[in-house]
Amino acid sequence: MRRVWIGAAVAAAFVVAGCSPSTGGEQAMETGTDEVVVVSYDSMDFPEETIAKFEEETGYKLTISQLGSGGELVNQLVLSKDQPLGDVAFGVDNISVYRAVSEGVFADEAPEVPAWAAQQQIEGTSLIPFDQGDVCVNVDHKWFTDNNLEEPVTLDDLADPKYKDLLVALNPASSSPGMAFFTATIGAYGEDWPTYWEKLRDNGVKVTKGWSDAFGVDYSAGEGEGPRPMMVSYASSPAWSANEELTESRTGALLDTCFHQVEYMGVLNGAKNVEGAKAFIEFMLDVPQQELISEANYMHPINPEAKAPEALVKFGQMSDNPHQVDAKTIAENQQEWLRAWSDLMGQ
């Protein structure tokens, strides 16, 4: 899923940390089980100190089960809903979450949360947000300076002939950020989105299977130093191309092209340890955990008192006005949209 661009995905398919004795063990004893199983996607990085602190404070043993990409996580949650793979899901985003909700994956159980978390809850669900970020078109400032060409600003600009053959996008059927950007165009143009994508197609947009292909081959500021100075990526990506002094970055995000992603956690229907799952959710909203997850995964915290890394604050700002589509509408129309997009783009 996202953050593969950091340089390496999390290698462990399973992370299991031993339980530390503490007075919190009474909480575990009351539930009849001392283990909490968290199901997530495999590029979600859980800092070891977060796992150890949860175990010390609650007395539960924490097991992290990682199940592929974000899309694969949702598929597995749906397929296993009658025999859930854990107690709590961690990392289902607002593009794919409603499918899991409509399939009855999540229980109604949830801890009470502060107003700042409730603001980004999905109506009618028990899911709790834990981090957020944007998917936007990124630009290579150096390329545009070297070629004496002004940078685009808006989605409309990307279809301007002066930017012909300069953009690489990601297939929304196979890429999470690709789907996010595609959804942004639907949010911006409504039912007229096919006309917009026709303009991008005619203006030479290249579509790759996923983020790594674009960054490794096509993007001028990527590993392959390719020919295209614009790429669909994350608003946080420019933080990784900043200099050591954090005074400037080679790349930037076009904040008028963004889709706002929120990642959620929720108690699974049929969970063996509901109280442990709720304890984990509450724990992950606390400032220390919010800051560690932000640093490890380069997403912005939900808790307004938590601080993101300095580079992210300076060069990975989120859009004030992202293009949005609500989760239910996405779930109801996604397959039809993707079929129409594939026919239009010849993918």
Side-chain angles (χ1 to χ4, degrees):
M1 196 179 163
R2 68 162 134 276
R3 294 178 292 278
V4 174
W5 49 272
I6 292 177
V10 176
F14 245 98
V15 179
V16 181
C19 179
S20 303
S22 74
T23 56
E26 295 177 3
Q27 185 175 359
M29 290 175 63
E30 290 173 0
T31 69
T33 177
D34 67 350
E35 182 180 33
V36 179
V37 179
V38 175
V39 185
S40 188
Y41 55 81
D42 61 12
S43 62
M44 173 63 70
D45 190 355
F46 285 89
E48 291 184 7
E49 58 191 292
T50 297
I51 296 172
K53 185 177 180 182
F54 174 77
E55 294 186 336
E56 181 180 358
E57 290 187 1
T58 67
Y60 292 117
K61 175 178 134 182
L62 186 62
T63 298
I64 310 296
S65 176
Q66 297 177 300
L67 302 175
S69 69
E72 290 169 334
L73 170 62
V74 172
N75 288 339
Q76 290 297 318
L77 292 175
V78 171
L79 290 172
S80 64
K81 64 180 182 178
D82 295 327
Q83 294 182 306
L85 301 173
D87 300 302
V88 56
F90 190 85
V92 181
D93 70 20
N94 54 325
I95 287 180
S96 56
V97 68
Y98 209 89
R99 179 187 167 214
V101 169
S102 64
E103 292 282 352
V105 165
F106 295 101
D108 293 332
E109 298 275 358
E112 292 187 13
V113 296
W116 45 260
Q119 286 176 357
Q120 297 209 61
Q121 283 187 282
I122 296 174
E123 187 176 356
T125 77
S126 58
L127 295 165
I128 309 297
F130 69 88
D131 70 9
Q132 58 187 327
D134 289 345
V135 171
C136 320
V137 172
N138 280 208
V139 295
D140 178 358
H141 294 316
K142 182 178 184 302
W143 188 97
F144 280 95
T145 298
D146 291 348
N147 287 271
N148 197 30
L149 180 64
E150 63 180 344
E151 296 179 1
V153 175
T154 68
L155 288 170
D156 284 343
D157 290 344
L158 302 178
D160 190 313
K162 67 183 176 183
Y163 301 116
K164 186 175 178 62
D165 298 330
L166 299 186
L167 173 65
V168 54
L170 317 175
N171 191 321
S174 57
S175 165
S176 174
M179 184 65 200
F181 176 70
F182 175 48
T183 306
T185 66
I186 295 171
Y189 299 103
E191 294 182 358
D192 200 36
W193 68 262
T195 300
Y196 178 72
W197 276 93
E198 286 179 1
K199 293 177 181 178
L200 289 185
R201 181 194 64 194
D202 296 343
N203 207 40
V205 65
K206 180 176 180 180
V207 178
T208 66
K209 181 179 179 180
W211 191 96
S212 296
D213 301 301
F215 190 76
V217 177
D218 299 291
Y219 189 37
S220 58
E223 293 174 350
E225 299 182 353
R228 295 176 180 255
M230 297 189 291
M231 171 186 167
V232 171
S233 190
Y234 304 98
S236 55
S237 297
W240 284 90
S241 61
N243 60 11
E244 291 185 5
E245 296 78 18
L246 298 183
T247 56
E248 61 181 356
S249 176
R250 172 172 172 169
T251 66
L254 303 183
L255 296 182
D256 192 59
T257 68
C258 299
F259 178 84
H260 185 62
Q261 281 191 315
V262 180
E263 292 189 306
Y264 295 90
M265 49 189 170
V267 181
L268 292 172
N269 225 343
K272 294 179 180 179
N273 191 348
V274 172
E275 292 306 313
K278 290 165 67 176
F280 176 80
I281 289 170
E282 290 179 319
F283 175 79
M284 293 306 298
L285 291 177
D286 289 343
V287 168
Q289 288 69 251
Q290 287 275 293
E291 292 182 348
L292 284 170
I293 286 291
S294 177
E295 183 176 357
N297 296 285
Y298 254 60
M299 292 284 282
H300 289 269
I302 289 288
N303 189 327
E305 295 182 6
K307 296 179 180 179
E310 183 181 0
L312 188 60
V313 171
K314 285 188 174 182
F315 299 106
Q317 301 96 329
M318 293 183 292
S319 173
D320 291 332
N321 295 292
H323 303 288
Q324 293 299 100
V325 180
D326 69 85
K328 184 176 181 181
T329 300
I330 295 172
E332 292 173 344
N333 295 278
Q334 185 173 6
Q335 294 308 310
E336 181 181 345
W337 289 339
L338 289 174
R339 281 193 293 269
W341 181 91
S342 295
D343 290 342
L344 178 67
M345 302 300 291
Q347 296 288 318

